[in-house]
Each structure stands twice: as structure tokens, then as C-alpha cells.
Amino acid sequence: MRSYKAKMVEPITLPSRERREEVLAEAGYNAFNIPAENVYVDLLTDSGTGTMSDAQWAALFRGDESYAGSESFHRLREAVEDVTGFSRVIPTHQGRGAENVLYGCLVEEGDVVLNNAHFDTTRAHIANQGGDPVDCPVEGARDPVRDAPFKGNFSADRARDVVDDVGAERVPVVVLTITNNSTAGQPVSAANVRETAAFAEEIDATFVIDACRFAENAHFVRRREEGYEDRTVADIAREQLSHADAIVMSGKKEALVNIGGFVAVRDADLFERAKQRAILYEGFPTYGGMSGRDIEAMAVGLREAVEPPYVEDRVEQVEELGRMLEERGVPIYRPVGGHAVYVDAGELLSHLPSEQFPGQALVCELYREGGVRGVELGSFAFPGADRLELVRLAIPRRTYGREHLEHVADAAAAVGERAPEVTGLEVVSEPPTPELRHFSAELAPV
Ligand SMILES: *Cc1c(COP(=O)(O)O)cnc(C)c1O
């Protein structure tokens, strides 16, 4: 049962089939180029696309827009301390701002950074510092049908192999991304958080948790890990983060706001260095690229994210879409993760070779069929990598209802029925940064 109701609405329309064809061609067959007014159900991302609560809207009015030392900052700092246990906090304009501030202080040319799986902006920031981002997923993480509770875990065994190869002195940072966005939103167990923290300590590396989806992760721990069933999400969330030396956060995810983020660190010295870098790239360290009112909304949203029944509702809605797709015979990555359902386009459009981007072809077909927007996370987004051809259908928080999800599942099923007729795509123009190709490249049908 939903734990909220609508108090404000936004009209949406499904453009005609002819118009959808035109829109696709004009967008260069890249969903990022489609104007949002032409999208009916937008599952491109759950980042900053959610609905704020009435309490968050009310908090906006309290925004203190002082350049330095604003009241709003103090309320954010308190919320971050209560929810995460970190007291040294710097707001940033969004998650990647936090990444730039933190990794700019920690990573140098020639360094290696280990992560259960780097999110795309994380990978790009490490690379931008001259570092080498290396993923250490556990066995089976890339198997779309293996049923395991914590496929997002970090493999310390793999990480040790890398360290044996390059030497511990070249690995200054170990990151754990919870939930593991790049591995189908799969959770990380509390035991794995402890194990990864111990590994980082063993090689004398700074242990960072990418906490963008920390509440969803805590919810999975509560549901799936022995000994946690009677603990609250808030309590588990704090325990997870207690092992980290620093956290990066996108407010657009689990602080339930449309823009914002923060970085928080334990060490006083690192805090000073991070503040200097924040001044350069984000703003004075008590506003860091955010307005006072947006900081207020983030402070409230961060507390809401760990309150029952918000997170239960959230994860169950994602599972609901997964069930609807499976009932209609659409292959998905199992089990369903925290924020999105990942359709296995390699399986659904198995006649298309990876050079013809089956995932991107499916993204286009979902739009053509139902005005639905998803995103490809396969050989188009990750050129050169040998990976699953997935299409992510990310669900904005507190925004869509069951009818919308049924529409999405029906559209996917209709594409599945005419799968053999679906043609592949080729890239016709792309930007110079390969890590960011999928945001702006243009394609054409083969
Ligand atoms: C979204 C996200 C980021 C980046 O945050 P932005 O607010 O989009 O800049 C970093 N890491 C993970 C795991 C994310 O999900």
C-alpha cells in the first residue's frame, strides 16, 4: 500500500505514433536528446526526478541565503550527523561535485582506485585525476539470472590480486558503492562493508562509501541479512556508514531533492583540504553550490529517506515493475535491485550483435511503442567493455503509480512480440570523452 498521496499534479501526454517517430529521428536515436515534453513515462533516471514531500516544500521557505555560516547549513550539518554519523560536511551542487572535491584531494596521476563497480561519473572523475578506476565485483555479479542476496558486494580477493600486481602504495582509495548502481542496483551486505573496510585498512587506503543509495541498501540488509531483521533502516544505515573514512552523496537520490549533494569526512586535515577545493569548484563551504532553500529541503529529505515506510514503499514499487515485466515474458536482471529494473536487451533482442547496440535499440523501441524513456547501460554507454546489454528503467521516487508501470510493462511486452523485426543502430557522431559518450552521441538505424 502506498504511504503517500498526491497534493500537486503535473500533466503528461503521450504524443502520436508519427510524432514519436519524428522525435526519435530528431534526437539522433539517443534518449538523452529527447525533449521531456515528448515523454509519457520518464524512467531515464531516478536522479533528481522524484517528488518532494509537503514538509520539504515547507522547509524551502526557511532558506537562509547568507553567503557564510547560514542557519540552513547548520540544519543540514545536524541532519547529516544524525543520519550518517559524519559531522564534517561540505554541501556540493550534486554528487559529482562531491566526487570532484574528494577525489581531487585523494587521487593522483598513476594511482589505482578500487570499487565494487564505479558509477559512470565516479569513473570519469578518477580518470580525470589521472587515476585508473578498477572494478572488483563478486563472482556472479554479471550473471542476470543467478539469485543471490548481495550481488553488489566488493570482492576483496579480486582487489588483493590488483594490489599484488601494482603495489599497495599505488592504491590510495577503496570505494564501496551502496547500492551498487552499475551492477543493476544490487545491494551490499553489512558483512561486506566491514570486510571492505578491513581490506582498505590493511593496504592503508582511505575507505570511501558512495552513499547515494544508502537507505535502499539498509532496507535490503534488514530484509536479507541474518541478525538485522529487528533493526531499523536508520540504525542499519548509520552502522554501514560508520566504517567509512569519507562519504560522497548525491542529494538527487536518497536525500529526496531535485538538486544537491554533499561530501563528509572524518579526518580534520582532509576536511581542510576538501574545503579549499570546494571553494574553487563549488562555493564557500557552508553553501557549496546550493541555495539555502535547497539545503533546507535536502536536510528534511535526508531524514525522510530512512523513515519507515518510505523506503519499503520505494523498493517494493521497483519490485512491482519487475514482476509485471516477468509476467509478460520480458527478461530482466534478477533479483530486482533498489532503484530500477534492468531489462536484458541482449536476451530480448538476441539477433542483434553488440556492435549494433541491442540495449540502445530497445531504448528506442520503448519510446516508439509507448513514449517510455529508459537508458542503455551496455556496449553503447561502456564502449570496449565486455558487459551485459541492459536497459535500465529507473523509477523516480514518490512520482508514478501502478497504471504508469503497467503501461511500461505493456510497451516492453509489445516490443518483445515483434523483437525479430527490431533493427540495430550505429554511432554517427560522438564527443571526444569516451566515458561520457552515451550522454550526447548521435546514432542511426543500421
Ligand atoms: C548519481 C550517482 C552519482 C553522481 O551523482 P550526481 O548527483 O548525478 O552528480 C555518483 N555515484 C552514484 C552511485 C550515483 O548513483
Side-chain angles (χ1 to χ4, degrees):
M1 293 203 343
R2 291 282 102 86
S3 61
Y4 49 85
K5 62 178 181 176
K7 191 168 198 157
M8 188 186 288
V9 294
E10 176 183 343
I12 51 173
T13 50
L14 176 62
S16 68
R17 186 165 282 268
E18 299 72 48
R19 182 67 196 132
R20 300 200 296 271
E21 286 294 345
E22 275 169 25
V23 167
L24 261 185
E26 284 163 16
Y29 298 88
N30 185 339
F32 283 99
N33 297 333
I34 298 177
E37 62 171 20
N38 295 308
V39 177
Y40 183 55
V41 180
D42 202 348
L43 307 185
L44 181 71
T45 175
D46 64 334
S47 179
T49 53
T51 301
M52 293 209 298
S53 67
D54 49 1
Q56 286 178 287
W57 281 105
L60 287 172
F61 286 92
R62 292 204 309 200
D64 172 357
E65 305 301 342
S66 303
Y67 189 95
S70 84
E71 295 255 326
S72 303
F73 171 72
H74 289 294
R75 275 190 282 273
L76 174 68
R77 208 204 54 76
E78 271 172 23
V80 172
E81 182 157 15
D82 289 350
V83 174
T84 73
F86 281 82
S87 59
R88 297 193 165 104
V89 183
I90 307 169
T92 59
H93 77 283
Q94 61 183 94
R96 68 201 64 186
E99 293 180 325
N100 181 31
V101 168
L102 185 67
Y103 299 130
C105 295
L106 297 176
V107 180
E108 288 174 9
E109 187 80 34
D111 286 343
V112 172
V113 173
L114 306 173
N115 198 324
N116 46 350
H118 288 81
F119 179 67
D120 53 10
T121 60
T122 319
R123 183 178 300 280
H125 271 295
I126 304 293
N128 194 41
Q129 285 298 118
D132 183 11
V134 177
D135 291 349
C136 303
V138 283
E139 185 75 29
R142 289 167 55 198
D143 178 346
V145 295
R146 182 194 293 207
D147 194 22
F150 294 106
K151 288 165 83 172
N153 280 356
F154 177 88
S155 168
D157 288 344
R158 271 185 211 224
R160 270 191 198 95
D161 288 346
V162 177
V163 170
D164 286 347
D165 250 23
V166 305
E169 65 290 346
R170 277 188 57 203
V171 186
V173 180
V174 174
V175 187
L176 192 60
T177 308
I178 64 171
T179 59
N180 188 333
N181 191 342
S182 302
T183 306
Q186 297 297 299
V188 171
S189 69
N192 192 249
V193 174
R194 290 193 294 273
E195 191 193 348
T196 309
F199 168 76
E201 187 164 3
E202 182 186 310
I203 62 164
D204 204 21
T206 301
F207 178 42
V208 179
I209 291 186
D210 179 329
C212 294
R213 298 185 159 83
F214 74 105
E216 286 160 15
N217 202 78
H219 170 78
F220 282 115
V221 166
R222 183 169 188 266
R223 281 239 297 238
R224 297 180 182 173
E225 196 162 348
E226 221 185 296
Y228 286 88
E229 49 288 298
D230 297 327
R231 309 257 309 264
T232 63
V233 165
D235 188 29
I236 298 168
R238 244 190 326 268
E239 180 195 305
Q240 289 171 356
L241 302 178
S242 72
H243 299 280
D245 299 315
I247 58 174
V248 287
M249 180 70 190
S250 168
K252 304 175 72 172
K253 318 295 172 46
E254 299 225 276
L256 309 180
V257 285
N258 304 115
I259 194 69
F262 61 85
V263 53
V265 303
R266 279 289 168 225
D267 182 71
D269 195 51
L270 176 58
F271 188 45
E272 289 313 313
R273 286 191 291 135
K275 280 198 280 193
Q276 295 311 308
R277 196 169 161 88
I279 292 172
L280 196 56
Y281 288 100
E282 298 290 319
F284 189 76
T286 60
Y287 74 86
M290 294 185 75
S291 65
R293 54 185 171 273
D294 285 335
I295 288 177
E296 292 282 355
M298 188 160 80
V300 174
L302 190 65
R303 292 183 192 278
E304 287 180 359
V306 292
E307 269 168 24
Y310 156 74
V311 74
E312 220 160 277
D313 215 273
R314 155 84 178 144
V315 175
E316 277 168 19
Q317 192 179 33
V318 178
E319 282 169 356
E320 188 178 20
L321 176 60
R323 257 195 319 276
M324 288 174 184
L325 287 164
E326 286 199 302
E327 281 163 12
R328 289 162 177 78
V330 177
I332 61 170
Y333 183 106
R334 296 280 317 156
V336 172
H339 65 292
V341 179
Y342 291 72
V343 179
D344 188 348
E347 173 80 19
L348 189 74
L349 304 178
S350 56
H351 62 293
L352 296 181
S354 63
E355 308 81 72
Q356 292 185 18
F357 309 125
Q360 190 62 15
L362 177 58
V363 167
C364 292
E365 292 305 323
L366 288 173
Y367 181 74
R368 186 172 266 137
E369 188 64 43
V372 173
R373 176 155 71 169
V375 70
E376 194 261 15
L377 294 172
S379 44
F380 176 52
F382 302 98
D386 170 33
R387 35 187 310 144
L388 291 168
E389 300 291 351
L390 298 176
V391 169
R392 185 185 73 186
L393 303 174
I395 304 192
R397 296 170 178 79
R398 306 188 289 205
T399 300
Y400 290 116
R402 182 168 294 142
E403 305 89 332
H404 299 109
L405 302 187
E406 272 168 359
H407 173 81
V408 171
D410 288 344
V415 174
E417 270 164 34
R418 55 179 176 76
E421 299 156 30
V422 172
T423 53
L425 296 161
E426 61 188 356
V427 174
V428 293
S429 78
E430 57 186 311
T433 317
E435 289 89 357
L436 307 174
R437 166 169 92 170
H438 59 299
F439 290 120
S440 56
E442 296 197 354
L443 303 100
V446 170

